[in-house]
Amino acid sequence: MADGRALPALALVFNAFVWGVSWWPFRELQAHGLHPLWATAGVYLFSLAALLAWRPQAWRGFAGQPQLYLLMLAAGLTNVGFNWAVTVGDVVRVVLLFYLMPAWSTLLAWPLLGERPTAASLLRLVIAMTGLAVILKAPGAPWPLPESHADVLALLGGFSFALTNILLRRLLQAPAVTRVGAMFSGGALAAAGAALAGMAHGVIAPPAALPAGALLLGLVLSLGFLAGNAALQYGATRLAAQTTALVMLSEVLFASVSSVAAGAAELAPRVWTGGALVVLAAAWSALASPGEPVKAAAQSRA
């Protein structure tokens, strides 16, 4: 790619790699007694502190932008759903359910952006929902329903991710650093709030004192997410929107290969069949998106 697109594309691949293998450090930290919600809160507190150290004026953009608080909530729920789900569920299944995001975007874009669905987008929605039904339809079960709370969390994460991207499009007038700050804040606050609620009900343990090795792993995870987000901002503002979305689908590959190799996922035929339909719908949606580079922070889950 001699026209200058190689480096932005590699930056996007790096971001997809970070998210695709993030299940492993979250599981390692949980093995040391740190619930993924506490780990998520720590990761985003670190990222927020780094952002504010770099751009202290990030908070100024909140004035007169109440929808930024909705962005905080949506981005926070995205991370709560995804990070918790990949820690406790089958990684491939979770990632595929999460990537129903384009289908949810079709449903949300009409009421929130006034974008009426086309025949093609409705067909993509049908393909994605068929894939969802195939994944969720367990043998002997009368209906395709979530099998575990990991399924529910993955679906919640994907829906929230779609809402995050819709809100980013509505908030293009807000400074990019403010949007990123809102998403980092949401990741920290939503995870910490959910962890505190779970602790109050006795279902989540308080954060444990970690050994030096686990603390180092947590720091590496935090730096990885921060670097991945920076790579996304760099790549997404220099490539066409459909290129960005297609490259980001490599997360499915990274998550699948790493989790199957580590025994954290099963090669169930119905998961692969349904997953192929979900990825097909997502890839088609990416190819159908506008051809201009996206704004900074777009398509980011922070």
Side-chain angles (χ1 to χ4, degrees):
M1 300 175 69
D3 56 357
R5 291 181 295 169
L7 191 56
L10 287 173
L12 295 178
V13 170
F14 173 74
N15 177 266
F17 172 79
V18 169
W19 282 100
V21 302
S22 63
W23 63 270
W24 182 80
F26 277 117
R27 290 192 177 198
E28 287 296 303
L29 291 171
Q30 186 183 47
H32 287 285
L34 189 67
H35 192 278
L37 290 179
W38 292 120
T40 298
V43 164
Y44 284 105
L45 280 173
F46 177 89
S47 297
L48 182 61
L51 177 68
L52 292 177
W54 175 53
R55 292 288 179 85
Q57 71 275 22
W59 292 115
R60 297 175 185 172
F62 274 77
Q65 297 283 352
Q67 290 190 46
L68 283 168
Y69 295 98
L70 292 177
L71 177 61
M72 289 175 61
L73 178 62
L77 291 177
T78 298
N79 285 280
V80 166
F82 182 83
N83 295 343
W84 193 352
V86 293
T87 306
V88 300
D90 181 287
V91 175
V92 171
R93 182 183 178 94
V94 165
V95 171
L96 291 174
L97 291 177
F98 181 85
Y99 264 94
L100 282 166
M101 185 271 293
W104 305 135
S105 295
T106 298
L107 296 175
L108 290 171
W110 191 357
L112 296 180
L113 296 176
E115 297 179 357
R116 297 176 64 89
T118 63
S121 65
L122 289 175
L123 179 56
R124 292 194 294 270
L125 179 62
V126 170
I127 293 174
M129 290 304 173
T130 301
L132 172 64
V134 172
I135 293 172
L136 295 182
K137 177 65 172 67
W143 299 100
L145 297 173
E147 293 180 352
S148 65
H149 76 279
D151 285 359
V152 176
L153 289 167
L155 292 170
L156 169 66
F159 182 86
S160 300
F161 188 26
L163 180 57
T164 297
N165 285 329
I166 294 290
L167 290 171
L168 284 169
R169 291 174 61 186
R170 288 176 63 99
L171 288 164
L172 288 178
Q173 72 280 8
V177 68
T178 300
R179 297 195 302 267
V180 173
M183 295 168 71
F184 284 171
S185 301
L189 292 173
L196 288 171
M199 193 170 67
H201 289 83
V203 296
I204 293 177
L210 298 176
L215 285 173
L216 179 60
L217 179 61
L219 177 60
V220 171
L221 177 63
S222 300
L223 290 171
F225 274 122
L226 189 60
N229 187 274
L232 178 66
Q233 309 310 316
Y234 175 81
T237 54
R238 289 165 174 80
L239 295 175
Q242 67 265 36
T243 303
T244 296
L246 281 172
V247 173
M248 291 305 294
L249 278 174
S250 61
E251 178 184 339
V252 178
L253 175 63
F254 290 126
S256 300
V257 172
S258 62
S259 61
V260 171
E266 295 182 4
L267 296 172
R270 64 187 175 92
V271 172
W272 287 111
T273 302
L277 293 174
V278 170
V279 172
L280 172 62
W284 184 7
S285 178
L287 290 170
S289 62
E292 69 277 2
V294 294
K295 298 290 185 180
Q299 306 221 12
S300 172
R301 78 186 76 165

